[in-house]
Amino acid sequence: MIIVDAHCDTLTKAADTGTSLSVNSFHWDINRTKRNARFIQVLAVFQDPDKVKPTFSRAMAYIREAEREEEQNPSFRVCRSFPELEDGIRNKQVCGLLSLEGGDCLEGKQENLEAFYKAGVRLITLTWNYANQLGTGVEADHSSGLTSFGRDTVRWMQDNGMLVDISHADEKTFWDCMEISKKPVIA
């Protein structure tokens, strides 16, 4: 059996506190996970907009923390493709998938989306409760749905094998995404 945990904030918490992903007291760590030989963890890069303005550079710093852990710990692997997941599972590694929780850190730029893809991000939650450059979140005080940049982003993600996550989106953003999606989305 393969266990997939589709969301975990431990990467961000560990980086913010200088704690290891290998051993910590958060919801997840590599050592506890090694007991399950076939485990995939989605590692959310989360910047709480109530506390700090999400930025591209800060998100990339979190991704570098995951890469550092991968370099130091042979039982952990950041997977960027399905064959890498298969190989990691076959070799009894803890497999991590990088995600962005909220597209704010794209800063409305296509080149940032492409840079995150090159860095290994394979899942993006479009909004985190509020409106951003992609669309409207569930707690926004207006409902305008996906923006033009949001539509372009969803198309690019699906064309390049990234998962679109509509968690935290408002109803109009959800339906706008369903209207243009050619592949499944997740929540």
Side-chain angles (χ1 to χ4, degrees), residues 15 35 37 44 57 66 99 103 118 139 145 153-155 160 169 171 186:
R35 289 177 255 173
S57 62
S99 74
K118 288 177 185 167
E139 291 184 18
T153 297
V154 167
R155 289 182 189 107
N160 288 280
E171 190 171 345
I186 65 169

Side-chain angles (χ1 to χ4, degrees), residues 30-102:
I30 294 167
N31 285 354
R32 281 181 282 164
T33 305
K34 282 195 296 191
R35 289 177 255 173
N36 302 301
R38 298 159 58 101
F39 196 96
I40 300 168
Q41 181 63 65
V42 175
L43 298 166
V45 171
F46 177 61
Q47 300 173 68
D48 187 343
D50 289 332
K51 296 178 182 173
V52 64
K53 180 177 174 36
T55 66
F56 172 80
S57 62
R58 192 175 302 110
M60 289 301 267
Y62 290 126
I63 292 167
R64 285 191 294 277
E65 285 298 318
E67 291 169 345
R68 249 189 298 284
E69 190 72 43
E70 181 181 31
E71 290 168 6
Q72 296 171 358
N73 188 338
S75 62
F76 175 65
R77 181 174 189 176
V78 175
C79 297
R80 293 159 179 86
S81 67
F82 187 70
E84 286 184 9
L85 277 172
E86 289 179 313
D87 187 61
I89 289 167
R90 188 173 29 259
N91 290 309
K92 298 188 176 172
Q93 293 174 294
V94 175
C95 297
L97 290 175
L98 294 170
S99 74
L100 302 177
E101 186 173 2

Side-chain angles (χ1 to χ4, degrees), residues 3 5 14 17 35 66 70 82 94 103 116 134 147:
I3 298 170
D5 180 352
T17 60
R35 289 177 255 173
E70 181 181 31
F82 187 70
V94 175
F116 282 127
L134 298 173
T147 65

Side-chain angles (χ1 to χ4, degrees), residues 4-15:
V4 180
D5 180 352
H7 183 84
C8 176
D9 290 326
T10 299
L11 171 60
T12 304
K13 287 181 182 180

Side-chain angles (χ1 to χ4, degrees), residues 96-112:
L97 290 175
L98 294 170
S99 74
L100 302 177
E101 186 173 2
D104 304 62
C105 57
L106 295 174
E107 299 176 350
K109 299 176 183 173
Q110 174 72 30
E111 61 266 23
N112 288 350

